[in-house]
């Protein structure tokens, strides 16, 4: 709703919305997998509690995406003249 309202305020008309919400799940799942895979390296620069919070936070994004609470996609707007 926020993006649509801002576009309307700017005088833009929505042409298309491409729903890529499944990519949100794919993206954050993959980031979490890489964090876990590289945890030893990450821990050389980050505190363990930070890494744990990151793993939890990333999983929360995945869960919310799987439950349909988040949307991710591409808007196409056209400026009205």
């Amino acid at each position: 709703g926020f993006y649509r309202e801002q576009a309307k305020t700017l005088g833009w008309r929505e042409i298309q919305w491409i729903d890529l919400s499944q990519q949100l799940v794919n993206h954050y799942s993959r980031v979490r997998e890489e964090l876990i895979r590289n945890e030893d390296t990450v821990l050389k620069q980050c505190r363990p509690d930070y890494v744990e919070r990151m793993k939890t936070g990333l999983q929360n994004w995945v869960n919310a995406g799987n439950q349909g609470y988040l949307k991710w996609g591409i808007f196409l707007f056209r400026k009205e003249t």
Side-chain angles (χ1 to χ4, degrees), residues 1-17 74-80:
F2 172 81
Y3 295 111
R4 286 183 168 116
E5 188 60 38
Q6 293 303 307
K8 184 179 177 181
T9 299
L10 293 168
W12 299 354
R13 180 172 55 93
E14 184 176 335
I15 304 299
Q16 185 177 14
W17 157 252
I74 299 170
F75 280 107
L76 176 61
F77 294 101
R78 177 171 290 140
K79 176 76 174 165
E80 296 295 334

Side-chain angles (χ1 to χ4, degrees), residues 25-79:
V25 172
N26 293 342
H27 172 74
Y28 286 104
S29 293
R30 183 77 170 118
V31 171
R32 187 172 188 279
E33 288 170 12
E34 285 300 309
L35 175 61
I36 291 168
R37 188 172 72 82
N38 293 291
E39 192 165 349
D40 290 341
T41 302
V42 174
L43 285 170
K44 291 176 184 173
Q45 296 191 14
C46 300
R47 292 177 26 179
D49 60 315
Y50 175 81
V51 174
E52 288 306 312
R53 284 194 315 273
M54 284 298 299
K55 289 191 290 188
T56 298
L58 291 164
Q59 187 61 55
N60 288 340
W61 280 88
V62 171
N63 294 345
N66 281 329
Q67 294 169 0
Y69 296 141
L70 298 172
K71 294 288 182 189
W72 202 10
I74 299 170
F75 280 107
L76 176 61
F77 294 101
R78 177 171 290 140
K79 176 76 174 165

